Amino acid sequence: MEADTRVEPSRKVSGSLVFRSSLKKKMTKYLFILPSFLFVVIFMLYPIFYNIIISFQDFTIMNLKGEKPFIGLENYFQVFEDDRFVPALKNTVIYTVSCIFFQLSIGFLLALFFNQKFPFRNFFRSILLLAWMTPLVITGTLFKWLYDVDYGVLNYLLVQMGVMSEPINWLGQQSTALVAIILTNIWIGIPFNMILLLSALQALPNDVYEAAKIDGASRVQSFFKITMPLMKPAILVILVLGIIYTFKVFDIILVMTGGGPVTATQVLPFFGYELAFVNFKFGLSGAVATVILLILTCISLIYLYLIRKEESM
């Protein structure tokens, strides 16, 4: 009996040491995660939740440091009734769909081209990346000069080739301003789509193509029966990332047109910016930002559904 009583304290001590050792290991892991966790909370989650909160408040420059009364969905009703909201939403959808369609299509064609072996392939691929690597402020300024009605290169070339009889004010008239912005963003986004699609193409298994070639499949059949189905997950990822990135466009609009002329290039992010920093109606701006967040969240949910469906198949 005495021997048993002596063993029990030693077992308790050893168990305590094991617990402390395992706890120390877990705490070490959590310490490595802590900086990333704090970054996400401070710079991502907190701004999102704070924006949602002020979207339900009467928050203007007049009560910036005072009490901000809760007004429910009043800000959302005012935003939806604003004459600028529908044109901004329409322009955002047109801009996003047009840019994504041409960026993805042309980027895919270039990816197929650069997937072939030819001299200086890497050099030309690097040159194309310059369009994407250049800051948008610089790119927007350059294209603003290209589109200029008096000394723009684009107007000069089109007039010299006989395509137009006189220069067009691309950014100064409602019928062409949005088109000019879309063309600019297509030029910017093509290299990004090309590189991602090229990486996905180069990761495809060669043995599948060799088996198809032995079975007598042509290049066209291999493309539609092998390449496209295998590329579907990568295309979905690039599509969703492109939609999210393009839908929240702001800087290129600010540099090239400032949302004008009238509301020709007014998009939802720029509409929210004007409400906050021009009209100083922060509650209304928060409502616009929340609407954008909800739209992009729905797009992300659709993407997750399609991915799960693809994996189950």
Side-chain angles (χ1 to χ4, degrees):
M1 294 294 291
E2 293 180 359
D4 293 339
T5 56
R6 290 175 183 175
V7 172
E8 286 180 2
S10 63
R11 286 179 179 176
K12 290 181 180 180
V13 172
S14 62
S16 177
L17 290 173
V18 171
F19 175 75
R20 289 178 183 177
S21 177
S22 62
L23 182 63
K24 187 177 180 180
K25 289 180 180 179
K26 289 181 180 180
M27 290 300 295
T28 305
K29 295 178 182 179
Y30 291 142
L31 285 174
F32 282 108
I33 301 173
L34 185 61
S36 301
F37 176 76
L38 290 176
F39 178 84
V40 171
V41 171
I42 296 172
F43 295 102
M44 295 180 65
L45 295 180
Y46 173 73
I48 290 173
F49 285 112
Y50 182 71
N51 177 80
I52 294 173
I53 291 171
I54 66 173
S55 69
F56 296 105
Q57 296 176 337
D58 183 16
F59 187 7
T60 64
I61 195 171
M62 302 302 294
N63 59 356
L64 189 62
K65 294 185 178 180
E67 184 181 354
K68 304 166 186 64
F70 178 81
I71 57 174
L73 297 174
E74 185 63 29
N75 285 327
Y76 292 90
F77 293 143
Q78 289 187 35
V79 165
F80 294 147
E81 292 172 358
D82 196 304
D83 295 336
R84 296 169 291 177
F85 177 77
V86 174
L89 179 61
K90 179 183 175 183
N91 290 337
T92 306
V93 172
I94 293 173
Y95 176 85
T96 303
V97 172
S98 303
C99 290
I100 293 301
F101 175 78
F102 287 105
Q103 286 176 357
L104 196 61
S105 302
I106 300 173
F108 198 16
L109 292 174
L110 287 173
L112 291 171
F113 173 72
F114 282 108
N115 197 34
Q116 310 300 318
K117 293 183 179 179
F118 57 88
F120 304 107
R121 179 183 64 170
N122 293 331
F123 171 75
F124 290 113
R125 191 168 60 186
S126 302
I127 291 297
L128 284 175
L129 272 177
L130 290 175
W132 178 69
M133 293 168 60
T134 306
L136 285 177
V137 175
I138 297 175
T139 304
T141 304
L142 290 174
F143 270 86
K144 190 175 181 179
W145 292 342
L146 290 174
Y147 289 132
D148 191 87
V149 65
D150 296 321
Y151 51 85
V153 176
L154 181 61
N155 278 324
Y156 174 78
L157 292 175
L158 293 176
V159 170
Q160 291 297 317
M161 290 188 296
V163 179
M164 302 184 312
S165 58
E166 58 182 14
I168 294 178
N169 190 5
W170 292 95
L171 300 176
Q173 56 187 22
Q174 297 186 52
S175 58
T176 57
L178 186 61
V179 175
I181 298 290
I182 290 171
L183 291 175
T184 304
N185 194 62
I186 289 173
W187 184 83
I188 294 169
I190 286 173
F192 177 73
N193 287 265
M194 179 201 71
I195 289 297
L196 293 180
L197 291 167
L198 180 60
S199 301
L201 282 172
Q202 292 177 342
L204 297 181
N206 291 325
D207 53 351
V208 180
Y209 290 95
E210 292 174 359
K213 189 176 181 180
I214 294 172
D215 292 337
S218 63
R219 285 191 173 184
V220 176
Q221 289 175 329
S222 297
F223 177 76
F224 286 104
K225 299 293 184 179
I226 299 174
T227 304
M228 289 305 295
L230 292 177
M231 286 288 292
K232 189 176 179 181
I235 291 174
L236 278 175
V237 173
I238 297 168
L239 187 64
V240 172
L241 289 175
I243 290 173
I244 293 173
Y245 180 77
T246 308
F247 197 90
K248 56 187 184 65
V249 60
F250 172 75
D251 38 15
I252 196 170
I253 299 288
L254 179 65
V255 172
M256 296 186 68
T257 61
V262 193
T263 58
T265 58
Q266 180 81 272
V267 290
L268 283 180
F270 198 85
F271 176 44
Y273 162 79
E274 285 190 336
L275 287 173
F277 300 105
V278 177
N279 301 327
F280 301 108
K281 297 178 179 179
F282 304 110
L284 294 177
S285 178
V288 174
T290 306
V291 170
I292 296 173
L293 176 65
L294 290 175
I295 294 173
L296 295 180
T297 302
C298 291
I299 294 172
S300 301
L301 291 175
I302 294 171
Y303 160 72
L304 293 174
Y305 169 76
L306 293 175
I307 286 294
R308 289 183 179 177
K309 187 178 179 181
E310 187 72 19
E311 291 176 351
S312 62
M313 291 175 63

